[in-house]
Amino acid sequence: MILITGAAGYIGSKLVHFFLDQDIPIRAIDNFRVHPMPKMTGATIHKMDVTVRDDVKEMVKGVDTIIHLGAISDVSQCETHADEAIQVNLLSMQYLMSEATKAGVRKVIFPSSFAVYDPHSERITEQTRLKPVTFYGHMKKWAEELLLAEQAKGTLDVVIFRQSNVYGKGWVSKTTVIENFCRSLLNNQPITIYGSGQQTRNFIHLDDVAWAYYRALSPSVQGVYNLGGEETYSIFDLAHLVNQVGQESIGRSVPIIRKHPQPIEEKKTHFTTLDRQKLKSLFRNRKMKSVKTGIHEYLREST
């Protein structure tokens, strides 16, 4: 039995659907504070809360693996609601690990983030120095440390996915830069870039993320993985790519405008290279979806 927390969220709802298609038994839970129950045929998501210890005791019964997606993932919300963020993003982890070891759970799979890295790192590997600059990034780092300490005791196997920017159409909408640019194009409105547009982002499609979590169920898969895609773009180049795909798929492009300053101060990332050797061993011969293909699919499915 696989426990999926945060099952009504962007990645969680995708995994629920993906695992059901694979006939993998799951227990899906969410507190529905952020997302309502997605409309998915044959899927049931139970209302439970990872910050309530009695709920945690109940949800881990008979579970072999936990995929712990329940979290506050909005960076600015973590800053403005720090107490709640600590409770949801860290205290819940402690509850889950404590109750999981008592219940005989074998493995925990956890989504971390590139936010744990120094944003000035030009090349990122799994061994790159951890130097978060946001409260969100610090919480991800602390959660990793909790998990790795538990693994060192020999009580739990752990898989940590340090995820880059996940995009793609799912059961639940998520405000990503690619989705924002595509929506502007579909609405025939200018694409707006805040700041210089030179900050770089790595992108991975939601379908590839789901595959990685599926592969992580294997007992042989353990440790830290950078879960990123094969392509890294500046925001400016990404806007031009969306326009290029727009011309090819719906015969439309829109103006690109810049606004200064950015509405929320954001540390710029400068990396140009992501070492994917370890991830390749996880994906084996599976080919990742290109950003261009993902944008084509998003526009096609939205028209």
Side-chain angles (χ1 to χ4, degrees), residues 187-224:
N187 294 328
N188 203 22
Q189 296 174 343
I191 292 173
T192 302
I193 294 173
Y194 292 93
S196 69
Q198 296 307 308
Q199 58 269 41
T200 55
R201 298 286 183 272
N202 179 273
F203 296 96
I204 183 168
H205 196 276
L206 184 59
D207 289 349
D208 292 323
V209 170
W211 176 258
Y213 279 84
Y214 171 65
R215 287 282 295 119
L217 298 179
S218 169
S220 63
V221 177
Q222 295 185 38
V224 177

Side-chain angles (χ1 to χ4, degrees), residues 176-193 242-243 250 252-257 298-299:
T176 66
V177 63
I178 289 180
E179 185 165 331
N180 282 341
F181 287 0
C182 287
R183 283 177 177 173
S184 294
L185 179 74
L186 290 166
N187 294 328
N188 203 22
Q189 296 174 343
I191 292 173
T192 302
I193 294 173
V242 170
N243 263 340
I250 61 175
R252 179 191 301 164
S253 62
V254 294
I256 299 171
I257 61 175
Y298 187 94
L299 295 177

Side-chain angles (χ1 to χ4, degrees), residues 20-253:
L20 287 175
D21 283 349
Q22 303 294 324
D23 292 323
I24 296 172
I26 63 170
R27 178 179 297 143
I29 70 102
D30 202 290
N31 60 15
F32 302 112
R33 288 180 191 167
V34 178
H35 299 285
M37 172 68 182
K39 295 178 180 179
M40 296 186 292
T41 304
T44 300
I45 300 178
H46 304 279
K47 186 175 183 180
M48 303 180 84
D49 195 321
V50 291
T51 66
V52 177
R53 190 140 202 164
D54 286 344
D55 281 3
V56 175
K57 288 179 182 179
E58 190 64 29
M59 69 179 70
V60 299
K61 289 180 179 177
V63 166
D64 179 68
T65 299
I66 298 171
I67 300 176
H68 182 35
L69 302 171
I72 296 175
S73 59
D74 184 272
V75 175
S76 60
Q77 188 179 352
C78 287
E79 299 281 351
T80 57
H81 297 80
D83 290 351
E84 181 185 7
I86 288 174
Q87 186 177 32
V88 175
N89 293 9
L90 285 176
L91 188 60
S92 67
M93 176 67 78
Q94 186 60 46
Y95 285 171
L96 275 169
M97 287 193 304
S98 174
E99 298 303 328
T101 54
K102 295 175 189 175
V105 174
R106 177 180 59 86
K107 175 180 277 190
V108 174
I109 304 171
F110 175 69
S112 186
S113 166
F114 276 24
V116 300
Y117 292 122
D118 184 340
H120 294 93
S121 300
E122 293 183 357
R123 182 174 183 269
I124 292 178
T125 75
E126 282 81 2
Q127 288 74 45
T128 295
R129 179 188 178 194
L130 303 190
K131 190 181 177 183
V133 296
T134 64
F135 186 51
Y136 172 79
H138 278 289
M139 285 191 294
K140 286 294 188 183
K141 178 176 178 288
W142 297 332
E144 285 191 18
E145 289 168 350
L146 287 172
L147 283 167
L148 293 172
E150 199 66 39
Q151 179 173 258
K153 297 177 188 175
T155 49
L156 281 173
D157 292 337
V158 169
V159 177
I160 294 170
F161 285 131
R162 292 176 183 155
Q163 296 173 179
S164 66
N165 294 269
V166 183
Y167 77 99
K169 207 168 186 66
W171 293 93
V172 171
S173 179
K174 184 181 180 184
T175 304
T176 66
V177 63
I178 289 180
E179 185 165 331
N180 282 341
F181 287 0
C182 287
R183 283 177 177 173
S184 294
L185 179 74
L186 290 166
N187 294 328
N188 203 22
Q189 296 174 343
I191 292 173
T192 302
I193 294 173
Y194 292 93
S196 69
Q198 296 307 308
Q199 58 269 41
T200 55
R201 298 286 183 272
N202 179 273
F203 296 96
I204 183 168
H205 196 276
L206 184 59
D207 289 349
D208 292 323
V209 170
W211 176 258
Y213 279 84
Y214 171 65
R215 287 282 295 119
L217 298 179
S218 169
S220 63
V221 177
Q222 295 185 38
V224 177
Y225 291 80
N226 282 329
L227 185 53
E230 297 173 342
E231 297 164 278
T232 299
Y233 287 90
S234 72
I235 299 302
F236 185 75
D237 288 342
L238 180 68
H240 280 281
L241 179 62
V242 170
N243 263 340
Q244 177 191 335
V245 177
Q247 284 286 5
E248 294 172 359
S249 60
I250 61 175
R252 179 191 301 164
S253 62

Side-chain angles (χ1 to χ4, degrees), residues 256-271:
I256 299 171
I257 61 175
R258 285 195 178 103
K259 286 189 177 180
H260 300 275
Q262 294 178 216
I264 299 174
E265 181 61 27
E266 180 183 10
K267 296 290 183 182
K268 292 180 174 61
T269 51
H270 301 276
F271 78 89

